[in-house]
């Protein structure tokens, strides 16, 4: 909760990636608040009132995941809404003739997006979601200390540069 609030203010891209990780952590703990307390929440060195707020936040996320049918896969609507907002901004920036740097970054990133979509096994997803999925997958590979191919590193670097610029534009708004 504390990290999410901070990231939302500072960098919307990091916020969304963090929230995807929170969803996965909740799933890894089988949507069980007691397991989440043991595996995640006991690490927090916070006053009791803050700990209770954090527990309540996780309980609310668990309930949302159950009610929205994303207990095993997918993303919460609040996270989808962030992606929708970013997509709207992305499309506005592409149409703005003064946003030449953004357009150039996008068109430099587009071949990687197309390549990733072709490897998705027929799963259709919007361009920005493809970008987020690529960066999130890369982060998971790093956490698992798995080998990352140079092509993947190059793609993620370009996608990250693009998303970082988008996050800056979001913050400006």
């Amino acid at each position: 909760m504390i990290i999410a609030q901070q990231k939302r203010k500072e960098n919307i891209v990091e916020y969304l990636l963090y929230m995807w990780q929170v969803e996965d952590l909740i799933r890894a703990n089988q949507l069980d608040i007691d397991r989440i307390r043991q595996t995640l929440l006991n690490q927090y060195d916070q006053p009791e009132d803050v700990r209770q707020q954090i527990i309540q936040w996780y309980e609310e996320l668990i309930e949302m995941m159950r009610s929205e049918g994303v207990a095993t896969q997918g993303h919460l609507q609040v996270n989808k809404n962030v992606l929708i907002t970013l997509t709207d901004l992305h499309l506005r920036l592409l149409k703005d003739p003064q946003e030449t740097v953004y357009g150039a970054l996008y068109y430099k990133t587009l071949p990687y997006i197309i390549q990733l979509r072709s490897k998705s096994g027929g799963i259709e997803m919007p361009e920005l979601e493809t970008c987020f999925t690529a960066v999130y997958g890369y982060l998971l590979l790093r956490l698992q200390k798995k080998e990352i191919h140079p092509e993947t590193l190059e793609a993620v670097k370009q996608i990250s540069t693009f998303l970082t610029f988008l996050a800056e534009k979001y913050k400006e708004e």
Side-chain angles (χ1 to χ4, degrees):
M1 174 190 87
I2 296 167
I3 296 169
Q5 289 171 339
Q6 180 183 0
K7 287 191 177 294
R8 182 147 192 150
K9 288 178 193 170
E10 295 173 5
N11 187 315
I12 196 69
V13 168
E14 288 180 9
Y15 166 77
L16 188 57
L17 291 168
Y18 176 77
M19 289 305 297
W20 283 12
Q21 181 183 30
V22 168
E23 290 171 339
D24 280 347
L25 289 170
I26 290 171
R27 289 183 189 111
N29 286 283
Q30 300 170 342
L31 284 78
D32 182 336
I33 195 63
D34 292 328
R35 287 183 64 173
I36 290 169
R37 277 188 181 116
Q38 291 173 353
T39 59
L40 299 174
L41 303 182
N42 286 340
Q43 303 174 63
Y44 290 103
D45 184 25
Q46 296 291 331
E48 188 56 32
D49 63 322
V50 174
R51 286 177 55 79
Q52 288 307 313
Q53 290 174 6
I54 294 169
I55 290 168
Q56 181 180 351
W57 184 69
Y58 274 97
E59 287 174 335
E60 290 169 359
L61 288 173
I62 290 167
E63 180 54 36
M64 289 166 58
M65 289 176 74
R66 285 186 176 127
S67 68
E68 294 179 22
V70 294
T72 57
Q73 66 180 13
H75 300 293
L76 288 166
Q77 188 60 50
V78 295
N79 296 331
K80 289 178 185 178
N81 290 346
V82 170
L83 198 51
I84 289 167
T85 300
L86 288 173
T87 298
D88 290 344
L89 174 60
H90 164 69
L91 294 173
R92 282 196 322 270
L93 292 169
L94 285 178
K95 290 178 183 174
D96 186 341
Q98 295 179 342
E99 289 294 341
T100 56
V101 173
Y102 185 82
L105 273 172
Y106 167 71
Y107 287 109
K108 189 173 179 183
T109 307
L110 188 58
Y112 297 110
I113 295 170
I114 293 168
Q115 184 180 26
L116 289 166
R117 287 171 127 184
S118 71
K119 293 179 179 182
S120 70
I123 298 170
E124 298 260 342
M125 70 175 69
E127 290 177 347
L128 284 185
E129 189 172 352
T130 300
C131 292
F132 276 95
T133 301
V135 173
Y136 188 69
Y138 166 76
L139 294 172
L140 290 177
L141 288 173
R142 285 198 46 204
L143 282 172
Q144 297 167 3
K145 299 186 184 325
K146 292 191 176 177
E147 182 180 345
I148 300 167
H149 296 281
E151 289 175 357
T152 303
L153 285 173
E154 183 181 331
V156 169
K157 182 178 177 184
Q158 179 58 42
I159 290 169
S160 296
T161 300
F162 168 66
L163 289 176
T164 299
F165 197 79
L166 179 61
E168 290 170 10
K169 290 295 184 179
Y170 177 85
K171 194 171 183 177
E172 285 175 16
E173 284 199 344

